[in-house]
Amino acid sequence: MFGNESNLLFLDGAMGTMLQKNGLELGEKPEVLGITAPEQIQTIHRAYLEAGANIVYANTFGANRHKLEGCGYSVAEIVSAAIKNAKIAAQDFGARVALDIGPIGQLLEPIGTLRFEEAYDIFREMVVAAEEADLIVVETMTDLYEAKAALLAAKENSTKPVFVTMTFEENGRTFTGCSVSSMAMTLCQADAIGFNCSLGPKDLVPLVEELARFTDRPIIVKPNAGLPNLADNTYDINPQEFASQVQLLCNAGATIVGGCCGTTPDYIREMKETLTIGTRKSREKIAAVCSARQTVMINCPCVIGERINPTGKKRFQQALREHDIDFILSQASEQIRAGAEILDVNVGLPGIDEKAMMVEVIKALQGITDAPLQIDSTKPEVIEAALRVYNGKAIVNSVNGEEASLSQILPIVARYGAAVVGLTLDENGIPKTAEERVAIAERIITRAKEYGIPKEDVFIDCLTLTASAEQAGVYETLKALKAVKERFGVKTVLGVSNISFGLPSRELVNANFLTMAMTYGLDLPIINPNIASMMGAVRAYHLLMNHDENATRFIAAYGGETSAPTQITTAKEIHDIPYCVAQGLKAECADLVRAMLETVDPMVVVNKQLIPALDTVGTRFEKGEVFLPQLIRSAEAASAGFEAIKEAIAKSGIAQEEKGKIIVATVKGDIHDIGKNIVKVLLENYGYTVIDLGRDVPPETVVETAVKQNVALVGLSALMTTTLGSMEETIRQLRAAGHNCKIMVGGAVLTPEYAEKIGADHYAKDAKRAVDIAKEVFGK
């Protein structure tokens, strides 16, 4: 059923394109037609089935309670009717019917306000209502966190197969910055995975090739037919060209194929008649972990930062008791700045609710760093709660050789597709000899395999004993490291600093042991990256083992230094307003602004601190060094600073500078306002007055507001190809009204050429470009 090495599986094409041809009105909810015009929906399904589709998507893409609000029907009524219509159409073809789940239409935390748990419940409601469906499809997702919520809701509330596809842009990432590798690892529990919408077939070829490296699941592709030709409602890739390009995707490994925006039954028919199966390369056995936007490949020593841990740290314990999340975030920020690639997270402390605190800290960390996380707890309920809300593939630290530990922890690790640290100890404690530890390692690896956890996701910790008490045990640890690597081919972990406990010159001992351990096969040292000698040992090892080609990273770290400093300056000592904006530290940014306002004019703080800081983040965004969530976090931190500025100006009575008015609106017929809202936030941070007209805005409303408010810049957004005609009409009416304003347009389906074609003055590919356009228009 899922498409395999010998058979292609054919999906249907676009529902919206067909409904639009049948007279769907802008702003009309297509899902309601399943109740008010069932024959029309059945006819469309039947046309795709006659063209050769093996699976049709029920007309439920936007059938969630957020998008259906005010339509007069419940989610259950809409979903049930849609499944029934598809079933009626499919009964003579032996085809399958899929519940189609699209995005909710709101940004999830931390870059939005929708809680992960609420998103899960919204999707759960749809899944429960689709009892008669044969499978579930989650599609057109740009936010990996939202896709994960939908996948969990589908898997936990039904036994049906689940397909998941996300929408990627030409830079190889989604709108929110999700990478292909992160998608593959995070959504590994899906029964098939791939891409739909946004791009045409040939643009998806490198993405399919990348996906095949990271998943052994069947790969789905449902590309667009290009962009619409508004004059005749056709698209710029015809069925023959489309099928020819999709063949390239099949050659790269796709086995489940269909069409998205602009495709009709003719496209499916042409594919059915011409496509042949390709030969897919085998998935690489890669040891890696990820966040939504950053993948860490464990092919040479990678540093796990140890500082988010209360053990022996009174200040951290105080932060946990006082619920000082900002302090915990500062520890994360410091470690990343010092060179940590993964962060260990341990919040276990007597007297606090460890489960609730772990969930809160995981969510908060995801708001300020893209570093993958290691969940450090011995409690199964804490581990599961953390993995559930983690947006990526985490490491679980840890399991050990005791059967109770193995049977409790490994099923959780398998359920969420995590990696796991295996401690070489059991009910008898830590063995004295290397061979005994290796035997426990083998037991852990074997039991993990029984739960479906591959050995590349098992990281063995041969345990560091203190040299002051177990001096002979140091070499046993090193021997065990080497043996585990050579016999089993797994990655290894060590908490390095235990080695020097009770000794003088601990840093000297730690650094030397770290170097020895890496030479014996250590892959994941858990260390304090703020200690320069420790990071120096890692960087020098990478240099000398030819992991750091051309000494690029070593030179970047030390520059003209002839020797590494004895201690890296901590972030706490160098925090300033630009740093806080870059790191998204809201409370600290506001505090620093207030402190500076005691001696500095407010507009100097704005023009010399906040705006340049935002410009720097924007430049990094344009270069692909940071992504949308970081841009939003920085904007929120700057907002906190601006609020402090406003407070000071209000108290002083000084008039605030008016930079200019800008309208932003999502055009008539389009209810997607995520991109528009992001543009609004950034423009306001740069001091512009933004008039937000909302979504599904008629052209007349835009024109009336622009004229009445004498607005010099109008920003229009559209996500769906079906509403590009509405965008063109809005521009036409603005020109016809004779109002002398500039118009910028944006949205995933637009290109610079298309923006020019429909009469826009500017194409804003993202929020940062919208700010640049505003600066050009207003000259400030």
Side-chain angles (χ1 to χ4, degrees):
M1 173 180 174
F2 303 135
N4 52 49
E5 292 182 358
S6 58
N7 294 299
L8 289 173
L9 185 67
F10 291 90
L11 307 173
D12 59 9
M15 175 63 74
T17 298
M18 299 294 285
L19 289 174
Q20 193 175 35
K21 286 185 176 181
N22 291 339
L24 178 71
E25 295 292 331
L26 282 174
E28 190 176 359
K29 290 182 170 63
E31 293 79 14
V32 173
L33 295 176
I35 294 176
T36 61
E39 298 84 2
Q40 182 180 358
I41 301 301
Q42 292 169 26
T43 298
I44 293 171
H45 286 319
R46 196 171 292 112
Y48 280 121
L49 292 162
E50 289 171 349
N54 306 117
I55 294 175
V56 290
Y57 288 16
N59 185 30
T60 56
F61 179 80
N64 65 69
R65 62 176 179 250
H66 173 67
K67 286 186 175 178
L68 291 179
E69 186 177 2
C71 79
Y73 298 98
S74 68
V75 170
E77 289 172 322
I78 294 286
V79 170
S80 179
I83 301 297
K84 180 181 178 181
N85 288 327
K87 283 283 186 177
I88 291 172
Q91 62 187 354
D92 295 331
F93 295 90
R96 305 298 183 108
V97 171
L99 168 68
D100 185 12
I101 297 178
I104 294 168
Q106 288 183 291
L107 279 172
L108 268 69
E109 56 187 352
I111 57 176
T113 58
L114 184 64
R115 294 176 63 248
F116 178 83
E117 293 82 1
E118 185 179 351
Y120 172 93
D121 192 60
I122 289 171
F123 292 128
R124 180 202 57 79
E125 186 177 21
M126 293 181 69
V127 171
V128 171
E131 184 178 353
E132 299 302 316
D134 299 307
L135 69 153
I136 298 168
V137 171
V138 178
E139 66 159 330
T140 323
M141 293 290 175
T142 60
D143 185 349
L144 183 61
Y145 212 25
E146 185 174 15
K148 177 176 178 175
L151 177 59
L152 282 174
K155 284 292 185 181
E156 293 177 353
N157 295 281
S158 80
T159 57
K160 308 178 196 305
V162 185
F163 295 179
V164 183
T165 56
M166 296 188 72
T167 297
F168 279 71
E169 300 179 359
E170 288 185 50
N171 64 359
R173 292 182 179 267
T174 71
F175 175 65
T176 60
C178 173
S179 67
V180 172
S181 57
S182 292
M183 174 185 75
M185 287 188 279
T186 304
L187 305 178
C188 63
Q189 302 305 318
D191 296 283
I193 188 171
F195 313 98
N196 81 288
C197 203
S198 192
L199 299 175
K202 65 181 180 182
D203 299 315
L204 288 174
V205 173
L207 302 187
V208 170
E209 292 173 341
E210 176 76 356
L211 180 57
R213 293 182 60 212
F214 286 91
T215 185
D216 54 9
R217 297 291 195 259
I219 294 177
I220 310 168
V221 288
K222 231 184 177 216
N224 282 354
L227 287 169
N229 303 305
L230 298 177
D232 58 5
N233 286 326
T234 63
Y235 280 69
D236 57 14
I237 302 177
N238 65 39
Q240 293 73 31
E241 293 169 330
F242 187 85
S244 176
Q245 292 180 25
V246 172
Q247 182 64 64
L248 301 176
L249 297 171
C250 296
N251 296 344
T255 55
I256 305 175
V257 297
C260 204
C261 298
T263 59
T264 65
D266 290 338
Y267 288 76
I268 306 305
R269 184 176 294 107
E270 186 68 26
M271 288 196 296
K272 183 82 171 185
E273 293 175 354
T274 63
L275 294 188
T276 58
I277 198 80
T279 302
R280 177 177 172 178
K281 293 181 180 179
S282 298
R283 175 195 173 190
E284 297 178 27
K285 301 299 182 182
I286 298 170
V289 292
C290 70
S291 65
R293 288 164 292 278
Q294 183 172 314
T295 294
V296 173
M297 307 286 286
I298 307 171
N299 48 21
C300 63
C302 300
V303 171
I304 300 177
E306 68 180 9
R307 298 296 296 168
I308 304 178
N309 190 318
T311 305
K313 303 181 185 72
K314 291 183 179 180
R315 178 64 185 90
F316 196 96
Q317 293 171 8
Q318 178 187 352
L320 290 176
R321 292 192 181 100
E322 296 177 356
H323 205 258
D324 185 357
I325 301 299
D326 284 341
F327 176 79
I328 297 172
L329 297 184
S330 73
Q331 294 296 294
S333 182
E334 288 178 20
Q335 291 183 93
I336 296 301
R337 187 181 182 91
E341 295 160 272
I342 301 167
L343 297 177
D344 185 80
V345 184
N346 185 323
V347 295
L349 188 69
I352 71 164
D353 184 338
E354 183 181 351
K355 178 180 173 180
M357 179 61 75
M358 178 66 85
V359 168
E360 183 173 0
V361 169
I362 292 293
K363 287 184 175 184
L365 287 169
Q366 291 178 161
I368 63 103
T369 179
D370 284 332
L373 303 181
Q374 176 168 275
I375 312 303
D376 190 349
S377 178
T378 59
K379 298 179 180 178
E381 67 274 15
V382 174
I383 292 169
E384 176 150 25
L387 290 177
R388 189 171 188 80
V389 301
Y390 180 61
N391 192 12
K393 175 183 177 179
I395 306 171
V396 170
N397 185 16
S398 56
V399 71
N400 62 55
E402 295 184 44
E403 180 55 34
S405 176
L406 294 167
S407 61
Q408 289 178 10
I409 303 299
L410 291 180
I412 299 171
V413 171
R415 187 179 310 139
Y416 292 95
V420 63
V421 172
L423 306 179
T424 54
L425 60 83
D426 57 18
E427 57 275 2
N428 297 314
I430 302 174
K432 295 287 186 183
T433 68
E435 280 302 317
E436 291 175 293
R437 294 186 212 177
V438 172
I440 295 175
E442 184 173 20
R443 187 191 316 160
I444 293 170
I445 294 165
T446 300
R447 294 287 277 121
K449 184 178 180 181
E450 292 171 3
Y451 284 102
I453 303 169
K455 70 176 184 179
E456 58 265 26
D457 286 342
V458 180
F459 309 152
I460 295 298
D461 188 338
C462 293
L463 299 170
T464 305
L465 303 179
T466 55
S468 59
E470 297 277 354
Q471 194 167 353
V474 174
Y475 186 51
E476 293 301 316
T477 295
L478 296 176
K479 285 197 299 183
L481 265 179
K482 185 175 182 181
V484 163
K485 291 283 289 187
E486 292 177 350
R487 294 187 200 179
F488 310 126
V490 297
K491 302 302 180 182
T492 58
V493 188
L494 277 181
V496 174
S497 60
N498 286 347
I499 195 70
S500 63
F501 186 78
L503 291 172
S505 299
R506 292 192 63 186
E507 187 178 321
L508 176 64
V509 177
N510 289 345
N512 277 277
F513 178 67
L514 173 58
T515 299
M516 294 170 68
M518 288 188 291
T519 304
Y520 273 78
L522 176 59
D523 299 292
L524 292 161
I526 304 175
I527 63 173
N528 179 357
N530 294 327
I531 298 176
S533 61
M534 299 298 281
M535 284 307 303
V538 174
R539 292 179 178 126
Y541 181 84
H542 286 160
L543 170 70
L544 299 173
M545 293 298 291
N546 199 30
H547 298 148
D548 181 8
E549 190 173 352
N550 298 319
T552 303
R553 286 177 289 167
F554 188 86
I555 293 171
Y558 301 115
E561 299 279 348
T562 56
S563 62
T566 57
Q567 180 67 41
I568 291 178
T569 305
T570 66
K572 190 172 292 185
E573 294 169 338
I574 60 171
H575 279 191
D576 54 18
I577 291 171
Y579 176 85
C580 291
V581 170
Q583 297 299 313
L585 301 175
K586 293 183 284 188
E588 194 163 348
C589 183
D591 289 343
L592 287 172
V593 168
R594 291 188 187 98
M596 185 170 284
L597 288 173
E598 294 178 6
T599 56
V600 179
D601 181 80
M603 295 316 299
V604 172
V605 178
V606 169
N607 294 323
K608 298 296 184 181
Q609 295 286 328
L610 290 170
I611 295 299
L614 280 172
D615 285 342
T616 298
V617 174
T619 300
R620 295 189 66 206
F621 176 76
E622 289 177 331
K623 292 179 178 179
E625 296 174 356
V626 299
F627 302 98
L628 181 64
Q630 291 100 322
L631 187 66
I632 294 175
R633 292 197 297 261
S634 293
E636 290 174 344
S639 289
F642 279 116
E643 284 302 314
I645 295 285
K646 289 176 184 177
E647 292 170 8
I649 290 176
K651 289 178 182 178
S652 67
I654 301 172
Q656 212 167 347
E657 179 187 9
E658 172 67 55
K659 278 193 172 184
K661 295 178 182 177
I662 303 172
I663 285 174
V664 294
T666 302
V667 298
K668 178 67 178 174
D670 203 320
I671 61 171
H672 301 90
D673 58 359
I674 290 174
K676 181 262 298 176
N677 292 343
I678 292 167
V679 169
K680 176 187 176 183
V681 168
L682 209 58
L683 286 171
E684 287 179 336
N685 274 340
Y686 274 85
Y688 299 103
T689 300
V690 179
I691 303 169
D692 184 0
L693 298 181
R695 57 188 184 179
D696 191 21
V697 181
E700 297 79 11
T701 302
V702 176
V703 174
E704 180 183 349
T705 306
V707 173
K708 186 176 181 180
Q709 298 279 349
N710 193 27
V711 175
L713 178 60
V714 173
L716 303 175
S717 173
L719 183 67
M720 303 184 295
T721 57
T722 53
T723 58
L724 290 178
S726 181
M727 179 177 279
E728 183 179 36
E729 175 61 17
T730 303
I731 295 172
R732 189 195 68 76
Q733 290 194 27
L734 277 167
R735 302 301 189 208
H739 181 59
N740 186 26
C741 67
K742 296 296 182 182
I743 302 169
M744 63 178 174
V745 296
V749 295
L750 284 162
T751 64
E753 296 76 19
Y754 202 81
E756 183 179 1
K757 182 178 178 180
I758 62 177
D761 298 294
H762 301 278
Y763 165 66
K765 65 175 182 175
D766 50 48
K768 173 58 171 62
R769 177 58 189 147
V771 170
D772 292 340
I773 292 167
K775 290 178 180 178
E776 293 172 21
V777 171
F778 294 104
K780 52 187 174 182

